[in-house]
Amino acid sequence: MARTRRSIAGRPAMITGAASGIGRGLAWLLSRTGSPVAIADIDEAGLKDAAQSLHESAGSTGPVLTRVLDVRDAADQHRFAAEVREWLSSLPGAPPLAAVFNNAGVAVASSVLDADPGDDEWLRQINFDGVVNGTRAFLPLLVEQDDGVIVNTSSVFGLCGMPYQSAYCASKFAVRGFTDSLRQELRGTGVRAVTVHPGGIRTNIARSARIRKDPTGQGRSHEQMAAEFEALLRTTPARAAEIICRGVDAGKARILVGPDAYVFDALARVTPTHYYDIMVRLEKRLQRGSA
């Protein structure tokens, strides 16, 4: 018999990468529904600001637990999971954990030829190992409850390979494969695994990216490249959070965030080896139209 699916609104959630961007948007949206939120980030100042904004926002909000966390540290992820378990037991009614959002991520821009192995490893440890560590730390709690959802953030670059994004794409394809495999393992249980594929979201990921030089050879500064990238972004973190939570509530296994995500998904399906040629032509047409 099919299980009755409940909304995550008003129920406890854990969110990494919560100091900014989509993570902060999720924390704000869920807290406003009364959800207790355990928010974590390596950015201590940003995390403190995010928590303060939740406390100061208009309307009722749920309890907040903050934790400075480096998602690369598997042992500390397990310690955090234990802290969340204890925190939940202290709340009225000792509510079960409804959702785990493994959302923290970073970017690197480089050609494969000029890639710095240290930069690629830094990215991999955060974008992929961080997701794996968070999943392994919190999954036992969800399995014990036989309820809840693991929501892992991939990207549209986890659907298509893009030039100068080899490390980022590899990490996001890995998140997709890891979560897809987990989903099959959880069949027949009350726990679900969901992959999120955001398109262009207005976050600070481009400005915090590691870029040694302009990989296209045009000599642009980091600031110029970030500004050009940000000019293409259309979806706000708040809107992304709404789409993600609605998708989780609808029982989706994969959530596309933003209109551009649907374009990436369609091109990857229809023309799996030539999608980039089509993207270049579309971009040129859009540039001519806006000239």
Side-chain angles (χ1 to χ4, degrees):
M1 185 173 66
R3 295 171 183 262
T4 301
R5 188 178 298 118
R6 292 189 293 163
S7 171
I8 59 174
R11 301 170 62 207
M14 188 287 290
I15 307 161
T16 64
S20 62
I22 294 175
R24 187 162 177 160
L26 286 166
W28 189 88
L29 177 63
L30 289 170
S31 182
R32 287 295 301 274
T33 70
S35 289
V37 291
I39 57 175
D41 203 292
I42 197 171
D43 178 2
E44 185 172 3
L47 187 64
K48 183 178 179 180
D49 182 69
Q52 188 66 29
S53 70
L54 295 180
H55 291 307
E56 294 175 351
S57 63
S60 61
T61 58
V64 180
L65 173 68
T66 62
R67 175 64 142 76
V68 176
L69 177 73
D70 184 342
V71 296
R72 296 174 293 181
D73 188 335
D76 204 30
Q77 287 255 35
H78 280 276
R79 285 190 290 269
F80 180 43
E83 291 167 17
V84 170
R85 181 192 290 266
E86 184 176 353
W87 175 65
L88 291 173
S89 68
S90 72
L91 297 177
L97 185 62
V100 172
F101 292 92
N102 291 307
N103 172 75
V106 294
V108 166
S110 174
S111 67
V112 173
L113 184 64
D114 296 327
D116 183 300
D119 289 347
D120 286 2
E121 180 65 8
W122 169 75
L123 179 145
R124 184 194 64 77
Q125 289 179 353
I126 295 170
N127 289 9
F128 180 57
D129 290 353
V131 168
V132 173
N133 292 339
T135 299
R136 288 176 173 165
F138 284 89
L139 185 60
L141 176 55
L142 301 186
V143 170
E144 180 183 310
Q145 299 171 172
D146 196 28
D147 183 40
V149 57
I150 296 275
V151 186
N152 292 337
T153 301
S154 178
S155 168
V156 291
F157 287 8
L159 301 171
C160 297
M162 303 299 286
Y164 314 119
Q165 293 293 323
S166 57
Y168 188 80
C169 288
S171 70
K172 294 303 185 177
F173 269 84
V175 169
R176 173 185 170 189
F178 174 78
T179 311
D180 283 356
S181 293
L182 175 63
R183 183 179 306 119
Q184 307 314 318
E185 293 180 15
L186 294 173
R187 291 177 64 187
T189 75
V191 183
R192 296 185 289 131
V194 177
T195 309
V196 176
H197 294 276
I201 313 298
R202 296 176 194 167
T203 72
N204 63 359
I205 192 169
R207 294 187 181 275
S208 61
R210 288 190 179 182
I211 304 175
R212 303 288 177 173
K213 65 178 181 179
D214 183 351
T216 68
Q218 300 177 64
R220 297 170 298 171
S221 67
H222 190 156
E223 171 65 28
Q224 288 173 319
M225 286 186 283
E228 290 178 15
F229 177 75
E230 289 168 354
L232 302 173
L233 308 181
R234 295 290 180 267
T235 306
T236 65
R239 177 60 179 153
E242 291 175 3
I243 294 170
I244 293 167
C245 289
R246 188 170 65 241
V248 171
D249 285 349
K252 290 186 176 181
R254 185 178 63 167
I255 301 171
L256 301 174
V257 182
D260 49 343
Y262 285 87
V263 174
F264 272 79
D265 184 52
L267 288 175
R269 292 170 184 268
V270 174
T271 175
T273 59
H274 297 288
Y275 49 75
Y276 188 67
D277 295 332
I278 297 173
M279 289 179 186
V280 170
R281 290 199 292 270
L282 287 173
E283 183 178 6
K284 289 181 178 178
R285 184 174 298 179
L286 288 172
Q287 288 174 342
R288 286 197 300 268
S290 60

